[in-house]
Amino acid sequence: MSRIAARFKSLAAEGRGALIPYLEAFDPDRETSLALLKAMPAAGADLIEVGVPFSDPSADGPVIQLAARRGLKAGSTLAGVLGMVSAFREDDTETPIILMGYLNPIEAYGYERFCADAAKAGVDGLIIVDLPPEEADVIEPHTEANGLDIIRLVAPTTTDERLPYVLSHASGFVYYVSITGITGTRTASAEDLQKALPRLRAATSLPVAIGFGIRSPEQAATASSIADGAVVASALLATLAETLDENGKATAQTLPSVLGQIKDLATAVRAAGGGQKAG
Amino acid sequence: MADTTEHGISAAQANSLRHGPDERGHFGGWYGGRFVAETLMPLLLELDQAYSAAKSDPAFQKELAFYLRDYVGRPSPLWFAQRMTKELGGAKIYMKREELNHTGSHKLNNVMGQILLARRMGRTRIVAETGAGQHGVATATVCALFGMKCVVYMGATDVERQKPNVFRMRLLGAEVVPVTAGAGTLKDAMNEAMRDWVANVADTYFLVGTVAGPHPYPAMVRDFQSIIGEETKIQMQELEDRLPDIVVAAIGGGSNAMGIFHPFLDDASVRLIGVEAAGHGLDSGKTAASIERGRPGVLHGNRTYLLQDADGQIDEAHSISAGLDYPGVGPEHSWLNDIGRAEYVGATDQEALDAFQLCTRTEGIIPALESAHAIAYAAKIAPTLPKDTLLVVNISGRGDKDIFTVAEHLGVKL
Ligand SMILES: Cc1ncc(COP(=O)(O)O)c(C=O)c1O
């Protein structure tokens, strides 16, 4: 069983949803982001999304844009991000790692080589924002050969006719984009989420995580109890950004602030429980 | 039709270069496509259907023809540039006068088509990206004409160097949003326009200004711009009783070039030359020559030649001309380059400035700096060609918007 499937299965047995925090690789530098990555599971991360900085993140809001820019300035490359994941795997062989980013760095790296190297580094799944199923044939043979999941985004605009097609290309879990918009802007209401989930449940037996616009412990608790997991990204990156000094360097507050926020989110997610788990 | 068909494709079609892209929006099976977030995919599929329906609807074509004639001012003349021809002493130079269109460039051809489509689709709010501001002005113009809300994203650097167009857009009632990300040029404006679209899908139509972006934009914009080449073909027939030998056009995203090239793709005798902005020089590192100095990759919804580093991060482009200052190019050009049907060359900032003055002095036509790149290359090769060679340069726009930039480079204070 893949790490992703195993993790959702054990959480279902515990009767709760997953907290999936996000960090941008190399933000604000390699050491700090690696230290953050390594400390996330103990703070309560059940799965972790690692953002791969890209020069033109056209589906992201200002917070992730700035984080990506800091990461690139600190020398992030796709190979460098895989190196971070390898280092993380030295002490953690269970927490699933999902890379989230855009297609061009992967195309530049080479699809076959990338999938082999990512699997070797200990990556479990990929979210490639600008790769819809229609274009995914460039990478699918290689993700399959290397046991990598492709996590598919489903949006409020995804029609009922289209949904089965999208899900037929999904593995690992399904990422429900809870709003029509870019990251870190609006937040969906609990009612919107309640309404959206049955449609997904009816169409897939994969776990469903909700993301885009989840900031507070309450929102994370709501989302992870309605679905099977909650992704929190911009809220954590914004906290990290606030702790940086005037030169954009990490300070003594950086790790404790972000990790403290993850602990608060995890506490709320664990307390919320949840009944309708998949798997 | 009497064509014999095999697998549903007629023999004539199979041998044509004019039937791309395929259903997935791919040119030559690789370039183009639809590389966007899931939120936008259903909208692109809807747009594709709506455009296909409009394209084959005589009522839509009739409406478009009406506005092109009575509002845009088509057809545009094909002008024999007698004094320039004489001065250069070689090929016979003709100019396709797209700068005479309303709003001063070829951009309105495409914008008129898309605004009518947006209206058919019931959209009420238009977003657009712009570099030189010509596409933004054209979009703001039709939004004024039809009473629609208009938001134009423009890089902060471009806002600074194209002030007259910014003022024009605001007069026309558009909201102009300066984008400070990156170098503040067209690439950044495109990112921001896409973000706006994702966030406002219910009422908003994204009116793309060139033959780039996700399918169906490259094909649709090309179709709307193809009137340039169709007219050129007929006009040259009337003037010279034959096809031109060479067609030269500047390449930003590639819409004026695609528009004049497309009707000639199957006429193998016609050389098609796209002129990219070489900036400070092709090997200076400060260039916008995506085909000559880039590699294929994926940006802004399509796969095409891009200026990028080894890690796949997109480089900043450089050109004196805001309309060419883009690190990508339309996917159909990438394909035409690879199969060798069109040639792609560069003209530097300096060569464009020289050509700007040459055209103004010899023909009394002040060209856009974008178009001046095409003129520069035409002027370079014309003297080497026989006098009976028919060379058409696409004058994609007029240069009034550029006089401040040119004055600065000539050391003149306005
Ligand atoms: C007059 C003019 N010509 C050419 C261009 C370049 O665009 P394209 O290559 O799509 O024709 C622009 C873009 O702003 C323009 O304003």
Side-chain angles (χ1 to χ4, degrees):
Chain A
M1 191 184 297
S2 75
R3 277 190 205 104
I4 293 176
R7 180 52 54 99
F8 276 107
K9 196 169 175 211
S10 72
L11 292 176
E14 273 181 53
R16 69 174 179 90
L19 174 66
I20 312 177
Y22 175 107
L23 69 82
E24 191 78 13
F26 285 66
D27 173 23
D29 59 74
R30 183 181 189 273
E31 291 65 38
T32 306
S33 67
L34 180 57
L36 182 57
L37 180 62
K38 287 187 169 188
M40 273 184 168
D46 297 306
L47 296 83
I48 301 170
E49 273 186 27
V50 176
V52 181
F54 181 50
S55 53
D56 293 80
S58 57
D60 284 304
V63 173
I64 295 188
Q65 288 175 45
L66 289 173
R69 210 189 300 174
R70 289 192 297 269
L72 288 173
K73 219 169 141 200
S76 174
T77 60
L78 190 49
V81 177
L82 294 183
M84 265 182 67
V85 177
S86 295
F88 172 83
R89 282 280 170 248
E90 286 166 10
D91 347 288
D92 186 320
T93 54
E94 286 181 4
T95 309
I97 298 274
I98 294 120
L99 296 192
M100 180 157 183
Y102 292 78
L103 187 63
N104 199 52
I106 301 178
E107 183 154 312
Y109 195 104
Y111 291 109
E112 188 167 4
R113 189 166 75 91
F114 169 72
C115 290
D117 290 356
K120 202 156 35 152
V123 171
D124 301 291
L126 306 175
I127 301 176
I128 309 170
V129 178
D130 55 349
L131 187 71
E134 279 83 352
E135 300 287 354
D137 55 354
V138 289
I139 199 169
E140 280 171 344
H142 309 300
T143 49
E144 208 158 293
N146 290 283
L148 294 171
D149 285 322
I150 294 202
I151 287 97
R152 284 265 149 236
L153 303 180
V154 171
T157 52
T158 307
T159 58
D160 289 342
E161 303 83 74
R162 178 172 169 76
L163 189 57
Y165 170 68
V166 173
L167 293 172
S168 71
H169 287 261
S171 57
F173 63 94
V174 176
Y175 188 134
Y176 183 64
V177 177
S178 61
I179 51 148
T180 52
I182 51 177
T183 50
T185 49
R186 278 177 278 172
T187 302
S189 68
E191 299 81 73
D192 286 344
L193 297 180
Q194 293 279 13
K195 258 188 265 163
L197 260 289
R199 186 165 87 104
L200 286 175
R201 296 287 191 207
T204 182
S205 56
L206 289 172
V208 177
I210 297 176
F212 280 47
I214 299 177
R215 317 174 151 276
S216 67
E218 297 70 39
Q219 289 165 343
T222 303
S224 67
S225 61
I226 291 173
D228 306 306
V231 180
V232 182
S234 295
L236 295 170
L237 298 182
T239 298
L240 182 144
E242 275 166 25
T243 67
L244 303 179
D245 70 15
E246 64 274 17
N247 300 315
K249 298 268 183 279
T251 62
Q253 269 72 58
T254 302
L255 288 181
S257 298
V258 180
L259 291 169
Q261 194 176 0
I262 293 174
K263 276 183 196 135
D264 292 344
L265 290 160
T267 304
V269 164
R270 283 159 204 236
Q276 59 272 54
K277 294 292 161 282
Chain B
M1 299 287 263
D3 275 348
T4 49
T5 60
E6 197 179 322
H7 306 302
I9 302 171
S10 75
Q13 271 181 351
N15 293 327
S16 174
L17 297 175
R18 300 189 59 202
H19 291 283
D22 64 19
E23 233 166 74
R24 292 170 65 183
H26 288 182
F27 294 93
W30 184 243
Y31 294 110
R34 274 181 292 230
F35 296 89
V36 296
E38 174 60 24
T39 312
L40 292 179
M41 264 317 289
L43 282 96
L44 290 175
L45 296 170
E46 183 198 357
L47 178 62
D48 195 15
Q49 279 183 356
Y51 174 58
S52 295
K55 194 174 163 180
S56 55
D57 178 354
F60 178 81
Q61 294 300 345
K62 197 173 152 201
E63 190 184 19
L64 179 57
F66 164 76
Y67 283 106
L68 287 178
R69 192 193 63 208
D70 288 358
Y71 191 76
V72 180
R74 301 208 70 88
S76 72
L78 184 65
W79 168 251
F80 172 42
Q82 198 165 2
R83 288 198 63 224
M84 192 189 283
T85 298
K86 199 158 167 212
E87 176 148 336
L88 295 171
K92 206 167 170 184
I93 297 173
Y94 280 89
M95 295 178 168
K96 181 61 176 164
R97 304 284 307 277
E98 289 300 303
E99 96 282 5
L100 291 177
N101 293 330
H102 180 39
T103 74
S105 82
H106 70 294
K107 295 286 178 186
L108 197 56
N109 302 328
N110 162 49
V111 165
M112 196 46 103
Q114 286 197 60
I115 198 78
L116 295 180
L117 182 62
R119 278 159 58 80
R120 261 173 87 103
M121 294 175 74
R123 298 295 196 274
T124 53
R125 178 176 177 272
I126 303 295
V127 297
E129 84 296 347
T130 197
Q134 289 303 101
H135 174 59
V137 166
T139 304
T141 296
V142 296
C143 287
L145 177 65
F146 292 112
M148 292 165 88
K149 190 167 162 44
C150 181
V151 180
V152 178
Y153 291 93
M154 187 168 186
T157 305
D158 292 341
V159 167
E160 205 42 49
R161 62 178 161 173
Q162 300 286 335
K163 278 185 193 141
N165 273 344
V166 174
F167 183 57
R168 217 171 271 155
M169 286 185 268
R170 289 185 172 143
L171 280 176
L172 288 159
E175 181 190 344
V176 180
V177 184
V179 180
T180 52
T185 60
L186 184 52
K187 163 173 96 95
D188 312 296
M190 187 80 175
N191 286 330
E192 210 54 37
M194 289 180 78
R195 291 182 187 117
D196 180 307
W197 192 29
V198 170
N200 298 287
V201 292
D203 63 347
T204 296
Y205 182 95
F206 181 19
L207 209 160
V208 175
T210 190
V211 286
H215 179 65
Y217 286 105
M220 175 168 68
V221 176
R222 172 203 69 199
D223 292 349
F224 289 137
Q225 290 293 3
S226 287
I227 189 154
I228 305 173
E230 283 157 18
E231 286 176 6
T232 302
K233 208 169 194 178
I234 295 166
Q235 290 164 326
M236 191 56 98
Q237 201 70 43
E238 284 167 4
L239 290 163
E240 298 277 356
D241 208 18
R242 67 180 183 91
L243 290 169
D245 299 300
I246 302 175
V247 175
V248 183
I251 306 265
S255 69
N256 85 86
M258 218 45 247
I260 197 165
F261 288 179
H262 195 252
F264 293 108
L265 287 185
D266 290 335
D267 300 303
S269 68
V270 183
R271 263 179 83 188
L272 305 172
I273 303 176
V275 186
E276 297 191 298
H280 293 188
L282 283 177
D283 295 313
S284 65
K286 289 182 88 78
T287 169
S290 321
I291 291 183
E292 292 154 283
R293 287 297 176 271
R295 288 181 286 121
V298 174
L299 179 72
H300 294 154
N302 65 133
R303 183 181 285 114
T304 192
Y305 278 86
L306 299 171
L307 297 175
Q308 55 179 316
D309 70 12
D311 189 47
Q313 307 295 339
I314 310 305
D315 287 334
E316 299 294 347
H318 169 84
S319 169
I320 188 175
S321 140
L324 306 184
D325 204 346
Y326 181 67
V329 61
E332 193 164 8
H333 286 295
S334 294
W335 172 61
L336 292 173
N337 174 70
D338 285 10
I339 63 170
R341 176 61 190 97
E343 304 157 49
Y344 296 86
V345 299
T348 63
D349 290 352
Q350 190 56 51
E351 288 168 332
L353 281 166
D354 293 345
F356 178 95
Q357 294 168 81
L358 170 72
C359 183
T360 304
R361 184 168 51 75
T362 58
E363 295 300 322
I365 295 170
I366 301 179
L369 272 175
E370 290 79 15
S371 321
H373 286 74
I375 300 166
Y377 193 75
K380 190 185 266 182
I381 59 172
T384 70
L385 296 163
K387 285 194 159 60
D388 61 354
T389 302
L390 302 180
L391 188 160
V392 179
V393 193
N394 198 16
I395 309 298
S396 55
R398 65 172 184 237
D400 307 50
K401 69 184 174 60
D402 294 314
I403 54 172
F404 298 99
T405 305
V406 173
E408 198 185 309
H409 281 269
L410 299 181
V412 178
K413 227 178 134 59
L414 293 186

